[in-house]
Amino acid sequence: MIKKHVLIGALTLLMAACQTTQQVSRPTNASDYDQNLSAPKIAGELILVDKKVFEQPEYGASLKYVDESFPADFITVYIYPIAKTSWDDTEEVVTEELQHVMEEIEAAKKLGKYQAVQSITMQMVQFEAKGKKFLGKQAQFIMQLQNGAPYHSEAYVFIAEDKFIKFRLSFPKHTARDNTGIDIVKTVLPDIRVPKESEYMHTLRESHRKEMVQKLMKLLMESAKSDQS
């Protein structure tokens, strides 16, 4: 348990430091989202209208979709590397990440972006499509914008390769349709292909594995000395 918390804490601190460091351009050994990220340009009623690759490798890329029948809907997909050295326990990892997503939304509310966020529910979701199984976690809630307009909002987190795939979906409450969120996920997610782990992230994670092993050994040696005294 000590090892796990030390690993997560140290890696999170390093990610935060990396994200606040001014970068002139993306490292050449980071994931190439322009070439190696594929997503459907048309998915059901949805049309891909924007793809953005962030300068900081830790932020990954985003995809924006629109539904011409419901132009007020907000449909954005984020793909970014997992800030961990291991993600074998899918349920635990997506649950933790979704909690971070909700904390970000709460922080945005405190900064005045929303008037209120309420009626939050969370649950695991799983489905099969195109011969693949998908396991993720969903949050549903009501957001009230600064102009008072209520939106039915949903967030989903899944894992592919070494990355999170996060869906952020919001629909005006008076036009929200049953199962719209999960239907969008089932339409778009199976056709998303993300880059494999980059040399940049591999090097970063390996550095932390070694550093954490050294710290763990130091803790164990100090504990052994304490027990002997």
Side-chain angles (χ1 to χ4, degrees):
M1 183 62 71
I2 292 175
K3 180 179 179 181
K4 178 179 177 183
H5 287 304
V6 171
L7 279 167
I8 293 173
L11 187 55
T12 300
L13 286 173
L14 180 71
M15 290 299 187
C18 289
Q19 290 169 357
T20 55
T21 300
Q22 186 72 23
Q23 292 183 344
V24 177
S25 61
R26 282 178 60 82
T28 56
N29 61 350
S31 290
D32 188 342
Y33 291 97
D34 287 320
Q35 295 295 323
N36 300 322
L37 169 63
S38 63
K41 292 181 172 60
I42 298 177
E45 301 298 318
L46 304 177
I47 300 173
L48 178 63
V49 295
D50 185 57
K51 175 181 177 180
K52 180 177 182 180
V53 179
F54 298 99
E55 286 297 316
Q56 297 90 339
E58 294 81 11
Y59 291 170
S62 67
L63 308 168
K64 182 179 179 181
Y65 286 87
V66 297
D67 184 334
E68 291 186 338
S69 299
F70 298 93
D73 291 355
F74 293 99
I75 303 166
T76 309
V77 185
Y78 299 91
I79 300 96
Y80 53 99
I82 300 169
K84 289 178 176 291
T85 58
S86 174
W87 47 91
D88 295 334
D89 189 333
T90 299
E91 184 169 345
E92 178 182 333
V93 174
V94 297
T95 295
E96 181 179 325
E97 182 63 15
L98 188 61
Q99 188 58 48
H100 292 160
V101 173
M102 297 311 299
E103 289 170 358
E104 290 171 358
I105 292 171
E106 182 63 26
K109 185 190 78 172
K110 291 179 179 178
L111 290 173
K113 186 172 182 179
Y114 313 118
Q115 282 191 27
V117 177
Q118 56 193 12
S119 304
I120 300 172
T121 62
M122 293 189 185
Q123 63 178 352
M124 296 299 299
V125 293
Q126 57 182 336
F127 63 92
E128 293 187 23
K130 299 187 175 182
K132 296 171 61 179
K133 294 182 179 180
F134 298 90
L135 176 65
K137 192 152 189 176
Q138 170 206 66
Q140 294 182 310
F141 47 98
I142 303 298
M143 292 192 317
Q144 188 175 13
L145 304 186
Q146 278 301 324
N147 61 8
Y151 271 71
H152 173 80
S153 194
E154 301 183 16
Y156 295 80
V157 176
F158 296 87
I159 290 175
E161 298 291 347
D162 71 318
K163 295 171 179 63
F164 286 121
I165 301 179
K166 177 178 71 178
F167 285 76
R168 281 289 290 113
L169 316 169
S170 294
F171 319 104
K173 203 162 184 301
H174 67 282
T175 64
R177 290 81 68 202
D178 290 343
N179 301 319
T180 299
I182 191 62
D183 286 346
I184 288 174
V185 170
K186 289 179 178 180
T187 299
V188 176
L189 181 60
D191 289 323
I192 292 179
R193 300 290 181 272
V194 307
K196 294 184 180 297
E197 182 183 36
S198 67
E199 181 183 343
Y200 176 89
M201 287 304 302
H202 178 76
T203 300
L204 183 59
R205 291 181 176 121
E206 281 301 307
S207 173
H208 273 272
R209 286 189 182 99
K210 293 176 182 177
E211 183 180 343
M212 291 309 101
V213 167
Q214 292 174 353
K215 287 186 176 180
L216 178 62
M217 291 303 297
K218 183 177 180 180
L219 286 172
L220 292 175
M221 290 178 65
E222 290 175 350
S223 177
K225 289 180 181 178
S226 177
D227 291 341
Q228 294 170 3
S229 61

